[in-house]
């Protein structure tokens, strides 16, 4: 493999079935992921985790903390600071209820998978150290879905800090995939006083790494990644601080990126609009091209 792009062996067969009309795409599940940044002396680093090889989806690939929306976050308004739900609805291209749920997923998943919480006791504060037995018990309850995020915030007397997030991009899993996600990518800075922990049950390794170094490792085939991950890493290389990346987020285009598969000249062509580096040409006999 010339680079570290994650490429499942079952894709050619599924792409052919989609092109022939024998595969019905599943409805993508809403999801959110967060590119958590931390400034260093020379350039910001981003927090990444390596998915366990046993995972059904993208096993062994490097990714950011993230996951699916909890439907309960549609039903109950949470303690909220920062831009209004209406502002977020406009920014994300959804209704206000969905906007709250997507932002909640971004904050909750960052806490569940990295131990970092973008919330505080007041609209202009952020919690400090989130380690300790009581914090861990609440985090585990969130992971198990025994506790909703709204209940967690109420229990702790905390306000979600939506102003600490910047919406960066949106990718939808290709139509031929059996597990599909409509994922909003956010950027955030590590709050002062907090530190990341490898607490995800889905990861076997976590790293802080410069986006440029991660992209170089991908190009050499040393780090495995899905297209949205390497695409966003390349985009982050332009910023010298976490604050610069956050300041750039509001102007980012959130038009969804969805892979296209077609039959052309006896081969299957898989492409991501606007991202030519991921285009794949697959002979229509089953072997990978």
């Amino acid at each position: 493999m010339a680079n570290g792009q994650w490429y499942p062996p079952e894709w050619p067969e599924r792409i052919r079935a989609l092109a022939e009309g024998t595969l019905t795409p599943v409805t993508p599940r809403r999801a959110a992921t967060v590119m958590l940044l931390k400034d260093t002396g020379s350039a910001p680093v981003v927090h990444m985790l390596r998915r366990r090889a046993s995972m059904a989806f993208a096993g062994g690939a490097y990714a950011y903390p993230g996951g699916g929306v909890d439907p309960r976050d549609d039903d109950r308004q949470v303690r909220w600071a920062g831009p209004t739900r209406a502002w977020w609805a406009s920014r994300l291209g959804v209704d206000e209820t969905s906007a709250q749920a997507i932002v909640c997923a971004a904050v909750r998943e960052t806490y569940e998978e990295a131990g970092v919480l973008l919330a505080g006791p007041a609209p202009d504060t952020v919690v400090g150290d989130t380690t300790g037995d009581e914090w861990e018990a609440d985090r585990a309850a969130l992971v198990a879905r025994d506790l909703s995020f709204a209940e967690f915030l109420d229990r702790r007397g905390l306000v979600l800090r939506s102003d600490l997030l910047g919406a960066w991009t949106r990718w939808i899993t290709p139509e031929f995939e059996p597990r599909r996600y409509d994922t909003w990518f956010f950027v955030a800075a590590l709050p002062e006083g907090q530190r990341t922990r490898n607490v995800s049950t889905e990861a076997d390794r976590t790293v802080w790494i410069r986006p440029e170094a991660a992209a170089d490792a991908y190009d050499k085939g040393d780090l495995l990644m899905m297209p949205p991950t390497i695409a966003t890493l390349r985009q982050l290389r332009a910023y010298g601080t976490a604050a610069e990346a956050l300041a750039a987020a509001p102007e980012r285009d959130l038009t969804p990126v969805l892979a296209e598969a077609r039959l052309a000249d006896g081969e299957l062509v898989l492409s991501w609009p606007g991202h030519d580096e991921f285009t794949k040409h697959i002979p229509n006999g089953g072997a990978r091209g």
Side-chain angles (χ1 to χ4, degrees), residues 16 262-270 280-285 289:
R16 278 194 295 272
R262 68 184 189 277
L263 288 168
D265 299 325
E267 64 181 4
L268 298 165
V269 181
L270 175 62
K280 295 292 181 184
H281 295 264
I282 306 166
N284 197 16

Side-chain angles (χ1 to χ4, degrees), residues 4-242:
Q5 184 178 344
W6 180 71
Y7 186 78
E10 66 271 15
W11 270 13
E13 181 179 351
R14 297 188 65 85
I15 292 170
R16 278 194 295 272
L18 180 68
E20 294 166 357
T22 59
L23 176 68
T24 301
V26 301
T27 301
R29 180 186 177 190
R30 296 171 302 165
T33 190
V34 176
M35 301 178 288
L36 190 63
L37 300 175
K38 178 175 67 173
D39 288 327
T40 65
S42 56
V45 290
V46 62
H47 181 70
M48 303 189 75
L49 51 85
R50 184 176 65 188
R51 294 175 60 82
R52 295 184 184 278
S54 59
M55 295 298 295
F57 184 80
Y62 280 76
Y64 312 113
V69 166
D70 184 345
R72 292 177 295 181
D73 292 333
D74 289 281
D75 301 330
R76 177 179 173 183
Q77 286 204 339
V78 303
R79 296 169 179 258
W80 190 273
T84 65
R85 292 169 179 82
W87 184 93
W88 277 108
S90 176
R91 179 73 182 113
L92 301 179
V94 297
D95 58 45
E96 291 187 33
T97 298
S98 295
Q100 172 182 278
I102 293 163
V103 172
C104 281
V107 176
R108 174 178 47 76
E109 288 287 340
T110 304
Y111 181 52
E112 288 182 10
E113 297 199 338
V116 170
L117 183 58
L118 304 177
D124 58 350
T125 62
V126 183
V127 296
D129 186 7
T130 60
T131 60
D133 292 342
E134 291 185 1
W135 282 105
E136 180 57 25
D138 280 351
R139 192 196 64 80
L142 285 169
V143 172
R145 298 296 182 262
D146 294 333
L147 186 68
S148 74
F149 195 59
E151 291 169 339
F152 166 72
L153 293 176
D154 286 346
R155 174 185 294 185
R156 289 279 176 178
L158 297 175
V159 180
L160 182 151
R161 291 287 305 276
S162 77
D163 55 315
L164 299 182
L165 287 169
W168 192 262
T169 191
R170 179 182 178 185
W171 287 63
I172 301 177
T173 308
E175 292 182 329
F176 50 82
E177 275 280 24
R179 294 177 180 84
R180 300 189 65 213
Y181 299 92
D182 185 352
T183 305
W184 283 263
F185 285 69
F186 295 85
V187 65
L190 179 69
E192 184 176 351
Q194 294 192 38
R195 57 186 175 88
T196 55
R197 294 178 287 137
N198 184 8
V199 291
S200 173
T201 58
E202 299 179 353
D204 60 10
R205 184 187 184 214
T206 61
V207 296
W208 282 102
I209 187 169
R210 288 187 301 111
E212 182 177 6
D216 287 346
Y218 166 90
D219 289 335
K220 295 175 182 176
D222 295 334
L223 294 185
L224 194 65
M225 298 179 201
M226 293 179 286
T229 308
I230 181 58
T232 49
L233 282 170
R234 296 201 196 285
Q235 293 158 1
L236 288 173
R237 293 180 301 180
Y239 304 98
T241 65

Side-chain angles (χ1 to χ4, degrees), residues 235-258:
Q235 293 158 1
L236 288 173
R237 293 180 301 180
Y239 304 98
T241 65
E244 287 181 10
L246 276 164
E251 303 304 319
R252 295 276 309 169
D253 183 7
L254 293 187
T255 302
V257 179
L258 174 63

